[in-house]
Amino acid sequence: MKPNLTYLAGAALALGLAAPAIAQDEPLQVGFVYVGSIGDLGWTYEHDQSRLAVEEHFGDAVETTYVENVPEGADAERVMTQMVLNGADLIFTTSFGYMDATNAVAARFPEVYFEHATGYRRDHPNVSTYSARFYEGRAVIGHIAGHMTESNIVGYIASYPIPEVIRGINSAYLHAREVNPDVEFRVVWVYTWFDPAQEADAAQALIDQGADVIMQHTDSTAPMTVAAEAEVVAFGQASDMEQFAPFPRVASIIDNWAPYYIARTQAVMDGTWESVDTWDGIAPGMVELGEFSERIPEDVRASAQALADSIADGSYHPFTGPINRQDGTVWLVEGEVADDGTLAGMDFYVEGITGEIPN
Amino acid sequence: MMGIDPVTLIVALIGASTPILLAAIGELVVEKSGVLNLGVEGMMIVGAVSGFIIAINTGSPWLGFAAGAVGGAGLSLIFALLTQYLLSNQVATGLALTLFGLGLSSLMGEAYTGINPPLTPDLFPQALRDIPVAGPILFGHDLVIYLSVLLVAGVWYALRHTRMGLILRAVGESHDAAHALGYKVIRIRICAILFGGACAGLGGAYLSLVRVPSWTEGMTAGAGWIALAIVVFASWKPWRALIGAYLFGGIAALQLRLQAAEINIPVMFLDMSPYLVTIIVLVIISSDRGRAALNAPAALGKVFHASG
């Protein structure tokens, strides 16, 4: 399962013992900790693609290692410690649940740099956090969904009721309703990031309830296969899922971590690395939109592209008032734009969504 | 607010339950022979990947199902050799088998992610399936689903009404007595283990070829453990295993539909309920009188060594 780690462990050990004098020429060691398998064709797959991009960009100047399927908990701390002992200079920990472990290991190894995805704790000067503004992509696919649905019911497979997921539902809903005032969202919470059978069942349940567009915030392609059979619209999540194009996959949100990973690796090489909090969206290319399929009417493709462009150039923010909370109270007044603090902690639905967020 | 269509619910629950039903009925036979194999999860996932690989390469879902059964049985053979000939601890060996199966399957399936398997056809013609209510429920399935129900009936009949079943139960109740009577305890147990492995593998193949249908690492996601719980829940009775599996599958399908229909009941509690029932059954079973009443094979998990 971890062949290259074992191999590099030996290599790093050999280098460390035999050649302290040529330390200048040693390649920079970059480690990656993954929550899923690199074959999930979703979240972890994209992180690994970006790891490969780092290797390609730097060639012999960088060596990378990864460990997949690392549980969020004490085991993660062990894996990270092992990576440091094997000589890692920079470690990317790619799931929210690694937050405590990342900070704990960072405290013990102040000379190693840590990058934690989707977290918010930077307890030590050698920890950075980074995430993507996925809600910008959700706005665009919500726009497409609003146009594409004929039953006016959009099914949404949600993982856990955390701000990241709730933000996505709100963003997609607002932009679907903008083009289709009759649209309804049905949200099913599956309490997992990755369980193909459960995700497939959830998709089927939503289709049985009349949904003709399926959105997902889980990592597997299982909802796509159900959508293909039922001939309803679906969207790629985290990765392009292009094998389901042009239908049922009509568009997708792609996480592209490569520019960030390359920039941060370069910063370590240059000695300019410092602790930062990065939250990038469509403009810097951290969130990408997959090709719009020809199954989307041409005018909708154009308007979706225009929406994406306006988000990218900063002229439009997906959460621009007037927006009310679900209970009818005012959240944003006319023209007001949501601040990052509220977005980061979003725990409420916007007005119009009929379900309840489980607690 | 929309209601829930009971017909689609029943269709969904039958599909959702079939993998765990197949694994459970196999494990039931294994445990009836006095062997506790905790490697169901591992055998299922190896069956899932073997079935998937063969179905992709041959284009035939039926060969895929057969390969799934062979794959599961193959893995169980390791367990059989270790526990029956080398007399290793069954619990530890079973757990190791699950870990081994999960690793092996991701190695085998590395090149097979993101591919769609050949479609498994429904058994009955469209005209029968179009009959309102009864059509989708009774005729709207593929062969494996009918096979799983036939398998339950077959196991029930064999255990209860045949000489073979009687011998199997004798081995499971008291291997020393069965041995004294001249029955080949180890050989019988190995056959039971292989049968259990084949059933678990078939259940896994159903997951990767019909339910999901695609191959992803770790896709069984705990289904094997639920199958083990169902055997206890069913107190080792085949028809109760069917009810148990449909209950588990039914609750899973129902809670998703309740959410989709925006009927607000606490889904967490509904999700918990089958496990709660299993825990209660386990508590009852742990008292000795209860154990007998609940039908647990007396020699379950005990190592047999023909000495003297």
Side-chain angles (χ1 to χ4, degrees):
Chain A
M1 287 275 288
K2 307 156 193 166
N4 62 353
L5 185 73
T6 322
Y7 163 70
L8 283 168
L13 197 66
L15 273 175
L17 288 175
I22 56 156
Q24 295 299 319
D25 298 331
E26 265 182 50
L28 188 78
Q29 302 278 348
V30 186
F32 293 81
V33 184
Y34 299 145
V35 69
S37 80
I38 59 169
D40 71 355
L41 295 177
W43 176 258
T44 296
Y45 174 79
E46 284 302 323
H47 282 286
D48 198 57
Q49 289 299 305
S50 301
R51 176 186 69 85
L52 295 172
V54 169
E55 281 201 333
E56 196 181 274
H57 182 86
F58 291 103
D60 292 339
V62 164
E63 272 180 15
T64 67
T65 55
Y66 69 87
V67 183
E68 2 167 44
N69 295 315
V70 178
E72 298 175 330
D75 214 27
E77 210 170 312
R78 182 184 62 76
V79 170
M80 288 171 208
T81 306
Q82 193 61 43
M83 273 188 173
V84 173
L85 295 178
N86 287 344
D89 304 299
L90 169 65
I91 295 178
F92 292 92
T93 59
T94 64
S95 188
F96 180 80
Y98 297 148
M99 186 151 61
D100 296 347
T102 304
N103 282 286
V105 179
R108 278 190 284 136
F109 301 102
E111 74 287 2
V112 177
Y113 302 108
F114 290 85
E115 297 268 353
H116 178 225
T118 69
Y120 54 82
R121 265 180 55 200
R122 294 173 299 282
D123 297 358
H124 311 287
N126 57 330
V127 181
S128 282
T129 51
Y130 64 101
S131 186
R133 296 178 186 270
F134 305 115
Y135 67 87
E136 295 185 353
R138 298 252 168 220
V140 179
I141 65 169
H143 174 90
I144 297 170
H147 277 294
M148 297 289 281
T149 179
E150 284 168 14
S151 66
N152 290 330
I153 296 175
V154 173
Y156 203 111
I157 304 165
S159 49
Y160 297 95
I162 59 173
E164 154 105 45
V165 178
I166 295 167
R167 210 160 50 226
I169 296 169
N170 283 333
S171 178
Y173 174 74
L174 286 170
H175 295 85
R177 190 186 60 181
E178 195 179 16
V179 296
N180 181 350
D182 297 325
V183 78
E184 284 180 48
F185 269 43
R186 308 269 183 201
V187 183
V188 168
W189 299 93
V190 291
Y191 291 94
T192 176
W193 288 111
F194 181 78
D195 179 346
Q198 175 86 341
E199 293 170 52
D201 285 350
Q204 191 59 53
L206 287 162
I207 292 164
D208 288 346
Q209 288 304 123
D212 64 351
V213 175
I214 297 289
M215 287 189 189
Q216 66 178 99
H217 202 141
T218 49
D219 294 349
S220 91
T221 53
M224 285 276 172
T225 45
V226 176
E229 197 168 322
E231 295 180 0
V232 304
V233 171
F235 297 93
Q237 159 67 10
S239 186
D240 193 37
M241 304 187 177
E242 75 275 356
Q243 63 273 32
F244 293 96
F247 197 84
R249 172 223 164 278
V250 296
S252 62
I253 306 175
I254 307 168
D255 311 343
N256 183 4
W257 308 103
Y260 182 77
Y261 287 176
I262 290 170
R264 300 304 284 171
T265 307
Q266 188 68 51
V268 172
M269 286 177 163
D270 298 347
T272 56
W273 192 99
E274 50 185 31
S275 174
V276 290
D277 176 30
T278 305
W279 199 14
D280 279 348
I282 292 176
M286 195 178 265
V287 176
E288 286 179 359
L289 290 159
E291 195 189 1
F292 299 147
S293 137
E294 70 263 23
R295 294 290 286 270
I296 305 174
E298 199 174 339
D299 57 323
V300 178
R301 265 182 277 163
S303 61
Q305 190 57 51
L307 176 61
D309 292 344
S310 69
I311 294 171
D313 67 22
S315 59
Y316 174 70
H317 189 291
F319 289 105
T320 303
I323 301 174
N324 289 347
R325 290 191 175 86
Q326 189 180 32
D327 59 13
T329 59
V330 176
W331 173 34
L332 299 171
V333 296
E334 177 80 41
E336 190 184 357
V337 169
D339 63 279
D340 279 359
T342 312
L343 287 181
M346 189 175 246
D347 59 357
F348 57 89
Y349 278 151
V350 295
E351 193 173 46
I353 297 179
T354 44
E356 278 177 31
I357 299 173
N359 44 31
Chain B
M1 190 187 291
M2 282 170 66
I4 294 171
D5 177 12
V7 175
T8 57
L9 174 67
I10 291 169
V11 172
L13 88 83
I14 292 173
S17 311
T18 297
I20 46 177
L21 172 62
L22 283 164
I25 199 71
E27 178 67 12
L28 188 144
V29 170
V30 178
E31 293 190 12
K32 269 292 187 191
S33 80
V35 177
L36 182 65
N37 184 356
L38 294 182
V40 182
E41 178 87 359
M43 300 185 299
M44 276 186 94
I45 195 139
V46 167
V49 76
S50 323
F52 193 79
I53 290 171
I54 296 299
I56 290 287
N57 287 322
T58 62
S60 159
W62 307 121
L63 287 176
F65 288 122
V70 170
L75 196 68
S76 72
L77 189 61
I78 300 174
F79 176 86
L81 296 176
L82 288 173
T83 57
Q84 299 308 305
Y85 285 115
L86 302 176
L87 307 183
S88 69
N89 178 291
Q90 292 179 6
V91 172
T93 312
L95 290 172
L97 196 72
T98 287
L99 297 175
F100 176 65
L102 287 169
L104 180 70
S105 64
S106 51
L107 183 71
M108 288 166 70
E110 212 160 349
Y112 289 88
T113 45
I115 314 175
N116 288 325
L119 220 59
T120 307
D122 283 350
L123 194 61
F124 293 103
Q126 188 66 44
L128 272 173
R129 280 181 279 143
D130 285 344
I131 300 169
V133 185
I137 294 174
L138 293 180
F139 304 114
H141 309 290
D142 51 76
L143 181 66
V144 180
I145 285 182
Y146 301 105
L147 191 70
S148 70
V149 179
L150 284 177
L151 206 59
V152 173
V155 167
W156 168 79
Y157 183 82
L159 282 177
R160 187 155 181 151
H161 294 292
T162 68
R163 187 172 171 76
M164 183 179 75
L166 190 65
I167 296 168
L168 187 87
R169 284 189 286 146
V171 168
E173 295 299 334
S174 169
H175 44 224
D176 292 323
H179 177 67
L181 286 170
Y183 295 119
K184 311 274 186 216
V185 172
I186 289 172
R187 204 173 295 169
I188 290 162
R189 283 188 170 167
I190 287 176
C191 289
I193 291 167
L194 289 177
F195 176 79
C199 288
L202 186 61
Y206 191 75
L207 210 53
S208 65
L209 292 176
V210 181
R211 281 278 320 287
V212 172
S214 66
W215 163 252
T216 25
E217 265 179 46
M219 68 182 302
T220 46
W225 299 108
I226 294 175
L228 277 163
I230 285 170
V231 177
V232 179
F233 172 85
S235 55
W236 295 271
K237 293 197 161 85
W239 289 113
R240 283 197 205 169
L242 180 89
I243 294 167
Y246 281 8
L247 194 66
F248 270 74
I251 287 171
L254 178 66
Q255 69 96 351
L256 292 171
R257 278 168 174 70
L258 286 173
Q259 288 198 55
E262 295 187 345
I263 295 167
N264 287 317
I265 67 143
V267 290
M268 301 284 221
F269 289 106
L270 205 57
D271 254 357
M272 269 181 340
S273 52
Y275 301 94
L276 280 178
V277 174
T278 306
I279 291 169
I280 292 164
V281 173
L282 283 169
V283 168
I284 296 169
I285 229 174
S286 57
S287 73
D288 262 345
R289 278 188 56 186
R291 189 181 164 97
L294 278 159
N295 207 20
L300 182 59
K302 291 182 184 153
V303 170
F304 171 71
H305 181 55
S307 53

